[in-house]
Amino acid sequence: MNLSDSLENLIEEFSKLPSIGRKTAQRLAIHIIKQPRESVARFSETLLNVKDRIKFCRICCNITEQDICRICNSKKRDTSKICVVEEPQDVIAIERTNEYNGLYHVLHGKISPLEGVGPDDIRVKELIERLARIEVNNVSEVIFALNANVEGETTILYLTKLLKPLGINTTRIARGIPIGADLELTDEITLAKAIEGRVNV
Amino acid sequence: MNLSDSLENLIEEFSKLPSIGRKTAQRLAIHIIKQPRESVARFSETLLNVKDRIKFCRICCNITEQDICRICNSKKRDTSKICVVEEPQDVIAIERTNEYNGLYHVLHGKISPLEGVGPDDIRVKELIERLARIEVNNVSEVIFALNANVEGETTILYLTKLLKPLGINTTRIARGIPIGADLELTDEITLAKAIEGRVNV
């Protein structure tokens, strides 16, 4: 049953978004219909606006409206550390911890042979070129903050092989029991990694 | 941490949608950034399009691009039945069953004193006026297909009181065990209603 073609088109557009199924798309589209025209116009404009204004930082590939992003541009950051993440939202997540003051490199994906994503499909070349450049030769540590799954591991392995010859120390963020989690409910692999990565108290 | 103002605006627009939290909005906005400009332009256009073209059917208040919707306009529908639903998506759901051939009335909400939604905030007046009109005096049954919760019950109660004096038979869709569900896992109220609503076999 098709209520209207223009509605059907909007449902389809919403369905294309990640994690939005057909039913949710339907609900969102009908929600849009009920909004005042100004709000919908604003939403519509914001979409194009973002596309027209957002670029990728020339240095770290993070999203920015300038040539170089706020973090790379900041004088207050520790330029001896580069944290490698998969997506821009990972930068937001790490920044929110207030725990890290170094720079970032956003790969925009991870190596996934099963999905046909190789090193050339993500921003690996940019990272290597960046590290090879003279002015960043003071980078002493590259921290991998990738998701803890097969693709993340593959990517770390691949990049470590490339970075070792450059004499750069590579680290990874700790895997272990999340704060507040129940030990008995934690899966075995996480628990094994937590034991393996135990630290002195 | 704010990566860019235009991105922040888009995240905010997505967050306004029902069932989209801040994190999902973030993911959707970053997905948009990675799409080709044409796709984003199409999405942006579709949004306004829907708002400009969709109206509410003059008869049943369902969404339509014409003055009168396809169902109200159809010569093949049984005009002696009106099924009252909360939202346009409920019409889609019922149509998909191929079980109902009558007309609809879309309330666009339900009476909810707790949320300050009264009968005047939904399309109750339109239903009463419709039933009072001479040309539809052949309506013999109004079927309530509202969600089975307190607000749905309140709305049914309220409307039944209004419709009884008009001499119209009112019914409600059955409440009971969903097909495929486990009896022992069904909540007591549903089970009680299912026993109460038992039918001869």
Side-chain angles (χ1 to χ4, degrees):
Chain A
M1 228 291 290
N2 185 337
L3 290 180
S4 114
D5 291 336
S6 58
L7 182 70
E8 193 52 41
N9 289 340
L10 184 58
I11 294 175
E12 213 161 280
E13 288 294 336
F14 273 125
S15 310
K16 284 182 201 158
L17 297 175
S19 77
I20 307 282
R22 171 86 199 174
K23 289 229 167 159
T24 308
Q26 207 167 278
R27 197 141 35 87
L28 296 182
I30 287 171
H31 170 86
I32 291 292
I33 290 173
K34 299 188 171 186
Q35 299 311 302
R37 196 177 185 286
E38 315 89 78
S39 322
V40 180
R42 198 174 342 112
F43 187 7
S44 164
E45 206 178 295
T46 312
L47 271 170
L48 266 188
N49 223 337
V50 123
K51 194 58 205 171
D52 287 340
R53 286 167 63 179
I54 291 224
K55 297 181 271 192
F56 296 110
C57 170
R58 219 155 37 84
I59 298 175
C60 73
C61 304
N62 195 4
I63 51 186
T64 172
E65 294 188 18
Q66 272 75 49
D67 238 29
I68 292 174
C69 77
R70 293 183 197 175
I71 295 174
C72 287
N73 236 336
S74 165
K75 294 269 172 288
K76 291 184 190 148
R77 311 290 300 209
D78 174 0
T79 57
S80 72
K81 289 184 181 63
I82 293 182
C83 177
V84 176
V85 296
E86 288 173 27
E87 300 291 346
Q89 53 265 54
D90 300 330
V91 174
I92 302 179
I94 295 174
E95 284 295 289
R96 214 179 282 132
T97 66
N98 285 321
E99 194 56 50
Y100 178 70
N101 192 37
L103 304 175
Y104 291 94
H105 188 86
V106 182
L107 290 174
H108 292 278
K110 53 198 166 191
I111 298 173
S112 168
L114 277 177
E115 289 170 48
V117 182
D120 296 341
D121 301 313
I122 60 177
R123 308 297 183 101
V124 164
K125 200 186 70 204
E126 286 85 347
L127 175 63
I128 305 301
E129 284 176 2
R130 182 179 174 188
L131 290 168
R133 244 177 276 146
I134 291 157
E135 69 257 42
V136 286
N137 259 352
N138 70 338
V139 170
S140 62
E141 183 179 1
V142 166
I143 303 157
F144 293 110
L146 305 183
N147 287 321
N149 51 29
V150 180
E151 292 87 1
E153 295 304 306
T154 312
T155 311
I156 292 178
L157 221 72
Y158 180 87
L159 288 176
T160 309
K161 265 191 190 160
L162 287 181
L163 298 185
K164 275 277 147 66
L166 300 175
I168 295 163
N169 186 23
T170 56
T171 59
R172 66 190 307 156
I173 57 170
R175 292 169 305 188
I177 318 287
I179 308 305
D182 239 341
L183 207 91
E184 65 169 343
L185 299 177
T186 306
D187 68 287
E188 310 82 68
I189 300 175
T190 303
L191 202 49
K193 293 293 179 188
I195 295 169
E196 190 187 309
R198 67 193 178 281
V199 291
N200 289 320
V201 288
Chain B
M1 229 290 290
N2 184 338
L3 289 180
S4 113
D5 292 334
S6 59
L7 181 71
E8 193 54 38
N9 290 339
L10 184 59
I11 293 175
E12 214 162 280
E13 287 296 334
F14 274 126
S15 309
K16 286 183 200 158
L17 297 174
S19 78
I20 305 281
R22 170 86 200 176
K23 287 229 169 157
T24 309
Q26 207 168 277
R27 196 140 37 88
L28 296 182
I30 287 171
H31 171 85
I32 292 291
I33 291 173
K34 297 187 172 185
Q35 299 313 300
R37 197 177 183 287
E38 314 90 78
S39 324
V40 180
R42 197 174 342 109
F43 187 8
S44 165
E45 208 178 294
T46 313
L47 271 170
L48 267 188
N49 225 336
V50 123
K51 192 60 204 166
D52 287 340
R53 285 168 64 178
I54 290 224
K55 294 180 274 193
F56 296 109
C57 171
R58 223 156 32 85
I59 298 174
C60 74
C61 305
N62 195 4
I63 51 186
T64 171
E65 294 189 18
Q66 271 77 47
D67 240 27
I68 292 174
C69 78
R70 293 183 197 176
I71 295 174
C72 287
N73 236 337
S74 167
K75 293 270 174 287
K76 291 184 189 148
R77 310 291 297 211
D78 175 359
T79 56
S80 73
K81 288 183 182 65
I82 293 182
C83 177
V84 177
V85 296
E86 288 172 28
E87 299 291 347
Q89 53 267 50
D90 300 329
V91 174
I92 303 178
I94 295 175
E95 284 295 290
R96 213 178 283 133
T97 66
N98 284 321
E99 195 55 51
Y100 178 69
N101 194 37
L103 303 175
Y104 291 94
H105 187 86
V106 182
L107 291 175
H108 291 279
K110 53 197 166 193
I111 298 173
S112 168
L114 275 178
E115 289 172 46
V117 182
D120 296 341
D121 301 314
I122 60 177
R123 309 297 184 103
V124 164
K125 200 185 71 203
E126 286 84 347
L127 176 63
I128 305 301
E129 284 176 1
R130 181 179 174 188
L131 289 168
R133 243 178 276 148
I134 290 160
E135 69 257 40
V136 286
N137 259 351
N138 70 339
V139 171
S140 62
E141 184 180 1
V142 167
I143 303 158
F144 294 111
L146 305 184
N147 287 322
N149 49 30
V150 179
E151 292 87 2
E153 294 305 307
T154 311
T155 312
I156 292 178
L157 221 70
Y158 180 87
L159 288 175
T160 309
K161 267 192 191 161
L162 288 180
L163 298 184
K164 273 278 145 68
L166 300 175
I168 295 162
N169 186 22
T170 55
T171 59
R172 67 190 306 155
I173 57 169
R175 292 169 305 185
I177 319 286
I179 309 304
D182 240 338
L183 207 88
E184 65 167 345
L185 299 178
T186 306
D187 68 287
E188 309 84 65
I189 301 176
T190 304
L191 201 49
K193 293 291 178 189
I195 294 169
E196 190 188 309
R198 65 194 178 280
V199 292
N200 288 320
V201 287

